[in-house]
Amino acid sequence: MVFRSDYPEIAPLDLPIHEAVLGGSAAHADTPALIDGITGRSLSYAELDAASRRIAAGLAEAGVGQGDVVALYSPNTIAYPAALYGITRAGATVTTVSSLTTAGELAGQLRDSRARWIITIAAFLPVATEAAAALAADPKADNDGDDTADGPAGIVEIFVCDQAEGHRSLADLQASTAPEPTPVIDPGADVAVLPYSSGTTGLPKGVMLTHRSVATNLLQTDAVHVTEPGERILAVLPFFHIYGLTALLNQPLRRGSTVVVLPRFDLEQFLRTIQEQRIEGVFVAPPIALALAKHPLVDRFDLSSVRYVLSAAAPLDAELAAACAARLGLPHLLQGYGMTELSPVTHVVPISDPTPPPGAVGRLVPSTELRVVSLDDPDTDLGVGERGELLFRGPQVMKGYFGRPSETDAMIDADGWLHTGDIGYVDERGYLFVVDRVKELIKYKGYQVAPAELEALLLTHPQITDAAVVGVTGSDGEERPKAYVVRAFGCELAEQEVIEFVARRVAPYKKVRAVEFLDAVPKSASGKILRRELRARAPREV
Ligand code: 4UW
């Protein structure tokens, strides 16, 4: 059976994302759009709108135009959205980069996305320039695995949001006297954002989200969860990830809310900011819910302004959610479910439901269809209460993976259903429960870790002949990457050496947290790693 949303159908929102988000900003021109949670500096809606327009003019003058890709590589700052919407106003696509990235990872994303400009901050210049230099040294912009370069390689210019010797800043771009560009954007075809996700298998890939899919998903989410004009929400989850980009920027800025920005998670700072800024809406991933439920510091702050806490991006234990809610004096925690490839939202627990079932990730947003199919026979559709793989169809399904048609076809079938690799069931009230994953993806604190990426890296070690990485869930409920490694004959490689080898080369959240040595990695006849077998071997031991 096909599960359909109970909410009335909506028409697609055919607007560029900067219009969908800032088009109504004149109605709350003087309201603070963003407040820096540490310095207290703020930017009004009028200032944000004007800054994004001038940045677009400056970028266009610098050569950025329609069809170009600009990498936005910055922690959360109040300047981030001005840069983001400045890029889209210039008609270009934004590829968002993890602020924890290494130079090697950044070079890979720049090359794959064919980004030719970087907007970063002064503190990140060493990594950005090293990545740009790596590209210049190897100019072959091969995006499709063949031997021919696919397009112009190399970074034209690196801008900074703040100030740095030898680099133009956002202020310099805003000082441009060039006219604001007027690209003709086709919302259904043109790609607004290109975040990276490994999806169900393999390496991180550029997820093409059109203006229409991102804008329409904002409307879809409105049915279940609305932030109010003037409402203060806390933005500590990273803007580069689709959860932060949507829940902390696009959605609240569209509604005229005030986004209080923190650059990273520090529990004391987080709690103090909630108290001082009288935060009403808090968006978290499960590790923050855990801290809120258990950490003694929480009692020292006045958190009475908080009206709701919403958790998403990784499984949240129902008891932990209840403990967190009770501590904050809330009736329950809200949850949402989404995926980069789904722009990202399909389910949210409605803020208006006084009694959502514990553990549920939400109800279907409008104009979205869900099928639950048997794991044994994908042609068999399952009904209420039955567990299977979740398939979605709707306007929020991505356009595809950039430059990877076969990976796109493996993810979205001929009838338009996107296969998530998640296992779940729908209860009799229409609430979705996510119970497991059939895909390789590991989630560490809500961040994506692609096993294939770590396996490829491990295989570059001269003393490793084979490797497999799986997620193992610890007694605290947190999933962590664990490597199973086959050592070259006669080698004495130790666990710590493997951990350090990986740690030096990847963003901190991708670190391997445990290593076990094997004689052989278990594989199927076709050579696929039997990940379930490895996961079953080591439950709860990391
Ligand atoms: N419970 C269990 C959940 C849950 C979950 C996601 O990194 P990605 O591609 O994307 C995200 C997006 C999260 C998101 C959810 C709802 C929402 O409102 C919002 O923004 C407004 C953003 O995490 O990882 C996708 C994968 O993460 C897992 C699941 O495996 C999914 O395929 N996941 N939410 N509540 N698991």
Side-chain angles (χ1 to χ4, degrees):
M1 77 184 268
V2 176
F3 295 93
R4 293 203 164 78
S5 173
D6 298 333
Y7 299 99
E9 294 265 315
I10 55 150
L13 188 55
D14 265 328
L15 286 177
I17 63 164
H18 44 270
E19 287 299 330
V21 174
L22 295 177
S25 60
H28 28 259
D30 298 328
T31 304
L34 298 130
I35 299 176
D36 184 317
I38 293 174
T39 65
R41 251 194 79 212
S42 73
L43 203 65
S44 70
Y45 272 92
E47 288 169 325
L48 169 61
D49 188 59
S52 70
R53 290 175 192 275
R54 292 322 306 156
I55 290 168
L59 287 173
E61 197 178 27
V64 177
Q66 219 157 355
D68 286 326
V69 179
V70 180
L72 185 49
Y73 166 45
S74 166
N76 288 9
T77 68
I78 62 170
Y80 196 107
L84 172 78
Y85 306 121
I87 297 167
T88 60
R89 275 192 202 284
T93 297
V94 186
T95 187
T96 53
V97 182
S98 164
S99 50
L100 301 168
T101 197
T102 63
E105 292 167 332
L106 175 58
Q109 183 171 341
L110 294 172
R111 181 177 291 122
D112 189 74
S113 64
R114 301 189 217 169
R116 303 190 62 216
W117 292 266
I118 303 173
I119 300 183
T120 187
I121 60 166
F124 288 0
L125 274 173
V127 172
T129 45
E130 190 184 333
L135 241 65
D138 175 17
K140 187 162 70 75
D142 182 19
N143 182 47
D144 54 15
D146 66 15
D147 292 334
T148 52
D150 296 313
I155 296 302
V156 178
E157 187 167 356
I158 303 176
F159 304 103
V160 290
C161 295
D162 41 3
Q163 296 291 329
E165 183 83 26
H167 292 271
R168 285 201 278 172
S169 66
L170 289 186
D172 294 330
L173 289 174
Q174 285 179 71
S176 162
T177 52
E180 189 184 324
T182 50
V184 180
I185 292 172
D186 177 351
D190 293 347
V191 177
V193 282
L194 189 71
Y196 271 67
S197 165
S198 64
T200 54
T201 182
L203 299 175
K205 298 170 273 294
V207 179
M208 293 190 288
L209 301 179
T210 62
H211 288 273
R212 176 196 285 163
S213 62
V214 173
T216 304
N217 197 236
L218 300 177
L219 265 193
Q220 292 175 300
T221 318
D222 278 352
V224 269
H225 186 92
V226 280
T227 44
E228 309 285 345
E231 172 182 329
R232 292 192 164 207
I233 66 146
L234 186 56
V236 70
L237 300 175
F239 293 152
F240 76 82
H241 184 234
I242 197 72
Y243 180 13
L245 194 75
T246 306
L248 307 176
L249 290 180
N250 290 341
Q251 190 65 269
L253 293 176
R254 192 174 114 77
R255 304 283 311 174
S257 307
T258 296
V259 180
V260 179
V261 179
L262 288 176
R264 71 190 71 81
F265 180 68
D266 169 84
L267 182 63
E268 193 165 350
Q269 177 76 58
F270 171 86
L271 296 167
R272 186 176 308 113
T273 308
I274 295 176
Q275 174 178 290
E276 285 175 0
Q277 297 283 350
R278 304 297 295 157
I279 298 291
E280 295 163 79
V282 185
F283 293 82
V284 302
I288 301 183
L290 178 70
L292 287 171
K294 303 246 161 104
H295 204 286
L297 258 184
V298 174
D299 294 327
R300 289 212 239 134
F301 292 87
D302 171 10
L303 309 180
S304 59
S305 56
V306 175
R307 288 197 300 117
Y308 63 88
V309 175
L310 186 144
S311 173
L316 176 69
D317 179 74
E319 273 175 35
L320 171 67
C324 179
R327 192 136 185 235
L328 295 176
L330 300 171
H332 50 260
L333 242 57
L334 304 175
Q335 264 206 81
Y337 165 85
M339 187 172 176
T340 310
E341 290 81 351
L342 289 164
S343 304
V345 184
T346 67
H347 284 77
V348 183
V349 172
I351 199 159
S352 57
D353 185 345
T355 54
V361 301
R363 303 180 74 80
L364 257 182
V365 299
S367 300
T368 306
E369 298 172 292
L370 161 67
R371 281 167 61 206
V372 182
V373 301
S374 162
L375 295 175
D376 305 321
D377 172 15
D379 292 331
T380 303
D381 277 78
L382 304 175
V384 168
E386 296 179 304
R387 295 175 177 212
E389 188 184 2
L390 308 175
L391 276 49
F392 289 102
R393 195 161 67 176
Q396 68 271 59
V397 170
M398 67 168 173
K399 181 172 174 180
Y401 290 121
F402 179 58
R404 299 180 190 279
S406 52
E407 276 99 333
T408 304
D409 291 346
M411 188 84 173
I412 305 170
D413 66 27
D415 297 320
W417 292 96
L418 181 134
H419 296 235
T420 62
D422 287 317
I423 305 178
Y425 67 92
V426 179
D427 76 359
E428 47 303 314
R429 289 175 64 194
Y431 274 93
L432 178 69
F433 292 77
V434 175
V435 296
D436 204 354
R437 268 181 232 136
V438 270
K439 57 185 163 191
E440 296 169 9
L441 179 70
I442 301 167
K443 277 284 175 113
Y444 178 69
K445 296 187 190 283
Y447 289 104
Q448 286 204 4
V449 182
E453 192 180 347
L454 297 179
E455 287 155 6
L457 176 58
L458 287 165
L459 288 175
T460 64
H461 192 290
Q463 294 183 39
I464 294 178
T465 57
D466 205 358
V469 178
V470 297
V472 176
T473 305
S475 51
D476 56 358
E478 185 62 64
E479 190 181 13
R480 295 181 177 82
K482 173 171 182 174
Y484 288 89
V485 169
V486 181
R487 282 178 287 209
F489 182 72
C491 289
E492 293 295 320
L493 187 66
E495 171 170 3
Q496 202 49 37
E497 290 175 82
V498 176
I499 290 176
E500 284 167 17
F501 175 78
V502 174
R504 277 196 298 274
R505 291 164 176 83
V506 297
Y509 57 87
K510 295 185 196 167
K511 280 188 216 169
V512 158
R513 310 261 159 188
V515 177
E516 192 174 322
F517 295 104
L518 296 176
D519 291 335
V521 171
K523 293 195 179 154
S524 70
S526 62
K528 270 196 163 181
I529 296 168
L530 295 173
R531 295 179 191 279
R532 283 195 163 256
E533 203 167 290
L534 289 172
R535 277 165 72 185
R537 247 177 105 92
R540 304 196 175 279
E541 66 171 59
V542 180

